[in-house]
């Protein structure tokens, strides 16, 4: 970066690593893979920093890169190497350890785009419009992927968690 923008990159990334790591963990459910996703994302950001820093919403731009990197990795199939333990810092508030493990296992069985939408909507608490922007699709697609993903979760989890996953009004 000959234009001296490296300091801006370092400042941005330094302040965002914990949030990126949390989102990466929520997507993949594995400490090591989350670290790999964050590393790959911040490498891509570095290479494109002159473009990234001009974005209207840098955080959404970076989250888009992270989610797409996750989806690309899922397509490649490397995600099947699941080692993981769940870090407490990435746990949904109030969830018991066994519930987190059950949810993580169920999410791993949902198709990648539906999984990404469910994580962004419910675990990262993002509105439909923001998820659509990050995923590069329409709000209607986010809503249908959410509905299909929740249906899949209900089918996977069965009666034990029947009332747990509902889809109310879109924000």
């Amino acid at each position: 970066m000959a234009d001296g923008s490296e300091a801006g990159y370092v400042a941005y990334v330094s302040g965002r690593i914990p949030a990126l790591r949390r989102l990466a963990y929520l997507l993949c459910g594995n400490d090591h893979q989350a670290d790999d996703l964050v590393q790959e994302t911040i490498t891509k950001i570095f290479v494109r920093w002159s473009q990234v820093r001009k974005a209207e919403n840098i955080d959404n731009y970076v989250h888009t890169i992270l989610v797409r990197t996750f989806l690309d990795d899922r397509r490649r199939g490397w995600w099947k190497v699941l080692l993981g333990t769940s870090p407490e810092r990435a746990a949904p508030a109030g969830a018991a350890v066994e519930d987190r493990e059950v949810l993580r296992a169920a999410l791993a069985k949902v198709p990648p785009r539906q999984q990404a939408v469910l994580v962004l909507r419910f675990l990262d608490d993002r509105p439909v419009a923001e998820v659509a922007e990050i995923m590069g699709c329409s709000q209607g697609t986010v809503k249908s992927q959410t509905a299909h993903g929740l249906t899949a979760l209900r089918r996977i989890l069965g009666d034990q968690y029947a009332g747990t996953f509902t889809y109310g009004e879109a924000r």
Side-chain angles (χ1 to χ4, degrees):
M1 292 184 204
D3 63 357
S5 62
E6 188 170 338
Y9 165 80
V10 170
Y12 176 80
V13 169
S14 297
R16 298 307 192 285
I17 291 286
L20 291 173
R21 174 116 188 1
R22 180 179 186 279
L23 178 57
Y25 181 81
L26 289 171
L27 287 168
C28 68
N30 177 286
D31 283 328
H32 303 291
Q33 189 179 6
D35 290 338
D36 290 345
L37 281 172
V38 170
Q39 183 62 46
E40 191 170 344
T41 299
I42 63 175
T43 300
K44 289 177 180 181
I45 294 168
F46 181 80
V47 171
R48 300 182 185 115
W49 183 246
S50 61
Q51 286 177 287
V52 173
R53 69 183 179 161
K54 295 175 187 170
E56 186 175 318
N57 186 334
I58 295 175
D59 287 337
N60 277 356
Y61 190 98
V62 171
H63 289 149
T64 298
I65 292 171
L66 181 77
V67 169
R68 288 182 181 167
T69 300
F70 164 74
L71 292 172
D72 287 347
D73 285 349
R74 289 289 302 253
R75 275 187 228 114
R76 285 187 216 123
W78 111 262
W79 63 274
K80 292 179 182 176
V81 183
L82 296 176
L83 306 170
T85 58
S86 304
E88 293 301 317
R89 66 188 173 277
V97 172
E98 57 274 1
D99 288 343
R100 288 194 310 268
E101 291 171 1
V102 168
L103 178 60
R104 178 76 255 147
L107 277 171
K109 295 176 183 176
V110 174
R113 286 187 63 82
Q114 291 174 13
Q115 181 181 355
V117 167
L118 291 174
V119 166
L120 290 169
R121 287 279 293 123
F122 300 110
L123 298 179
D124 205 34
D125 200 30
R126 293 181 179 269
V128 171
E130 199 171 309
V131 173
E133 183 180 336
I134 290 170
M135 297 288 296
C137 62
S138 71
Q139 290 184 29
T141 299
V142 170
K143 291 175 185 178
S144 69
Q145 291 289 305
T146 300
H148 292 302
L150 289 174
T151 299
L153 279 179
R154 285 187 206 101
R155 186 184 71 251
I156 292 164
L157 294 171
D159 294 335
Q160 181 181 3
Y161 294 90
T164 305
F165 303 103
T166 59
Y167 182 54
E169 293 295 317
R171 289 186 293 149

